[in-house]
Amino acid sequence: MTTCFDIGGSFIRHGTLQDDGSVAESGRVPTPGNDWQAFVDAIDSCTGTDRGPISISLAGAFDDRTGFADVANIPCLHKRSVKTDLEAALKRPVLITNDANAFALAEAIDGSGRGKPVVFGIILGTGVGGGLVVNGHLVKGVGGIAGEWGHGPVVDPTAGGQLKGLEHYPCGCGQTGCIDAVCSARGMEKIHLTLHGKSLSSKDITSAWHRGDVEATHTIEAYATLLSRALSVLVNTLGPDVIPVSGGLSGDEALLSLIDRKTRTLVLAHYADPLVFKGQFAENGGLHGAGIVARTAFSEART
Ligand SMILES: [Zn+2]
C-alpha cells in the first residue's frame, strides 16, 4: 500500500492511494516543526503497520542535483536531504514533490487541465508559487525552480502610472519587488496598510470588498492589477490552456474572476473562456498530486 502525505507548516495530512488512482484521506496530525526525530515518528505513526512506499507533497524547493530541500516553514527539514534521510529512517521508498507541482499535476492529469497540453497551476496564499505541466509531464527545471513565478524583482508599484501610493516591498528571498511580497495574502494586507493605514487580514479585506467598501475595493483593484500584469508575462511565455488556482485566496472566486479578466486583457493570445479559476483540486491537490507521482513512479518501475 502507498501512503500519501501533504505536509504543511502546521499539519500533516495523510491518506492511502486507491486502485482507481484517488487518495482516500485518513486524517491529519500537527507538524513537528523543530524536531527531526519527532517528524520521522509522526510520519511513521500515520502509516500504521503498513511498510509500503511513501509519497509526500511538501512546501519547499527540492534540488534533484543535490537532494537538499529548502523548506523555510519547517526548520527540521530545512537544508536536509529529506528523501534520503527519511528512507534511511523508515526503511522504505520515499518520493517527494513540491506542493505547487503536486497541485499542477493533479489538475493536469485528473482535474481542469485533463487532456490539455499546457497547465500552469498557481498558488495564491501564504506565498505565491506555481507548477508547470506540459503534455502530462511535470517540468522541474534546474534546481526544481520551474513554475516559481513568485520571485524576481519585477513589480512596478505604480503599474505603469495607474497606481499611486504603493512602495517597493522587500521579500523573504532577499530581493525587493517580488510578486510574492505583494500578491500573497500578506502582500494584500501590506497594500491595504500602505494605501489606507489600516491593518486588516486578507479575509477581512476581501469581505469588505464584497460589501462594496471603498477602501477595500481600492486595495483589491491594486492587488489584482499588480498580479495580472505579472501573470500576463507568464501567459505570453508559456501559452497555458488553463491556470487553475490553489491556496488560501483561491476560495474567493470573485477575486479570481477579477484577476482572470484583467489578465486576459493584457496577453497576446485571445482566450474566449476563463483562464484563471479555482482548481478542482484546490483543497487536496497535495495529496492527490502525491498519489499521481506514486502511480507514475511505480508503474514505470514495473515496466
Ligand atoms: Zn522574493
Side-chain angles (χ1 to χ4, degrees):
M1 191 162 70
T2 298
T3 308
C4 298
F5 290 88
D6 178 10
I7 300 178
S10 302
F11 289 99
I12 296 173
R13 294 169 65 186
H14 57 99
T16 51
L17 182 60
Q18 307 295 296
D19 289 341
D20 66 0
S22 65
V23 177
E25 188 163 355
S26 316
R28 67 180 193 172
V29 297
T31 306
N34 294 302
D35 183 338
W36 167 251
Q37 188 56 51
F39 179 82
V40 171
D41 292 344
I43 298 291
D44 203 24
S45 70
C46 293
T47 62
T49 56
D50 183 74
R51 308 311 292 170
I54 285 172
S55 184
I56 293 172
S57 161
L58 182 59
F62 307 98
D63 190 337
D64 283 346
R65 299 168 302 176
T66 63
F68 284 96
D70 194 335
V71 190
N73 63 346
I74 308 176
C76 71
L77 307 187
H78 195 51
K79 302 297 181 193
R80 180 183 279 278
S81 182
V82 180
K83 173 182 165 64
T84 307
D85 291 359
L86 268 184
E87 285 182 333
L90 299 172
K91 299 186 172 42
R92 63 186 110 165
V94 174
L95 301 165
I96 297 189
T97 308
N98 164 271
D99 61 341
N101 288 350
F103 166 66
L105 264 177
E107 290 296 325
I109 304 299
D110 292 325
S112 64
R114 185 172 182 161
K116 298 184 187 305
V118 182
V119 176
F120 184 50
I122 66 173
I123 310 284
L124 296 177
T126 308
V128 175
L132 176 64
V133 179
V134 178
N135 295 327
H137 296 284
L138 178 67
V139 180
K140 292 184 180 176
V142 173
I145 61 165
E148 292 298 341
W149 67 297
H151 299 279
V154 299
V155 174
D156 167 11
T158 74
Q162 298 177 62
L163 303 175
K164 291 189 174 66
L166 290 179
E167 308 162 1
H168 284 291
Y169 299 106
C171 180
C173 75
Q175 301 189 88
T176 294
C178 291
I179 305 296
D180 193 276
V182 285
C183 297
S184 61
R186 298 296 86 76
M188 181 191 290
E189 293 162 5
K190 276 186 282 187
I191 292 173
H192 196 75
L193 180 62
T194 305
L195 292 177
H196 308 298
K198 294 175 182 170
S199 287
L200 292 183
S201 70
S202 60
K203 196 164 180 46
D204 286 342
I205 295 167
T206 53
S207 296
W209 173 52
H210 292 307
R211 293 195 304 271
D213 178 86
V214 173
E215 290 180 345
T217 301
H218 185 192
T219 297
I220 294 295
E221 275 293 324
Y223 170 89
T225 297
L226 294 173
L227 180 51
S228 59
R229 285 167 62 88
L231 194 53
S232 70
V233 179
L234 269 296
V235 172
N236 286 339
T237 308
L238 303 173
D241 293 272
V242 288
I243 303 181
V245 186
S246 178
L249 294 173
S250 68
D252 192 323
E253 300 203 28
L255 178 64
L256 300 190
S257 180
L258 177 63
I259 294 167
D260 173 64
R261 291 195 305 275
K262 284 181 175 286
T263 303
R264 283 192 288 145
T265 64
L266 297 173
V267 300
L268 297 174
H270 174 66
Y271 285 89
D273 298 318
L275 175 64
V276 182
F277 48 79
K278 183 180 181 180
Q280 287 179 26
F281 290 95
E283 320 296 343
N284 60 348
L287 274 183
H288 195 85
I292 292 170
V293 171
R295 239 150 86 178
T296 307
F298 301 132
S299 69
E300 284 174 357
R302 284 196 292 270
T303 55

